Amino acid sequence: MSDLRINSDRLWDSLMELAKIGATPKGGVKRLTLTDLDKQGRDLVTGWARDAGLSITVDQIGNVFMRRDGEDNTLPPIMTGSHIDTQPTGGKFDGNYGVLAGLKSSAP
């Protein structure tokens, strides 16, 4: 595990790409839950997850769960997460960082 590194450029690029969906004129993001913009954001992020080889499950209300099997599945999982929808005057990082930091650190 001492070789585990976060590709900060890839993480930043992903945050900025997701921030384009629902971007506001003053630099914020408005991607409200259950809107078309929310769906576009979820589709983008789940596409990245599929590309990284993660399995995806969506529950009845639209929560997305992404899983990358570990090397030893008898050990407890390590989990991270948050949300990618925003408040009406949300920022680029509110919630998004918690999702993408976990996803982009698990990607090849």
Side-chain angles (χ1 to χ4, degrees), residues 12-26:
W12 180 260
D13 291 346
S14 298
L15 285 163
M16 294 303 103
E17 187 171 347
L18 182 56
K20 292 175 186 176
I21 300 172
T24 63
K26 292 185 178 181

Side-chain angles (χ1 to χ4, degrees), residues 19-31 88-90 92:
K20 292 175 186 176
I21 300 172
T24 63
K26 292 185 178 181
V29 178
K30 183 177 180 181
R31 192 172 46 248
T89 56
K92 292 180 174 92

Side-chain angles (χ1 to χ4, degrees), residues 35-55:
T35 62
D36 288 340
L37 292 173
D38 180 39
K39 182 179 180 333
Q40 288 175 31
R42 283 185 284 121
D43 289 348
L44 178 63
V45 172
T46 56
W48 289 333
R50 281 188 185 91
D51 291 347
L54 279 67
S55 62

Side-chain angles (χ1 to χ4, degrees), residues 47-77:
W48 289 333
R50 281 188 185 91
D51 291 347
L54 279 67
S55 62
I56 298 169
T57 305
V58 181
D59 70 12
Q60 293 177 339
I61 61 170
N63 293 306
V64 177
F65 300 89
M66 299 174 270
R67 178 185 170 95
R68 177 183 165 263
D69 287 335
E71 293 178 15
D72 182 351
N73 286 326
T74 64
L75 296 173

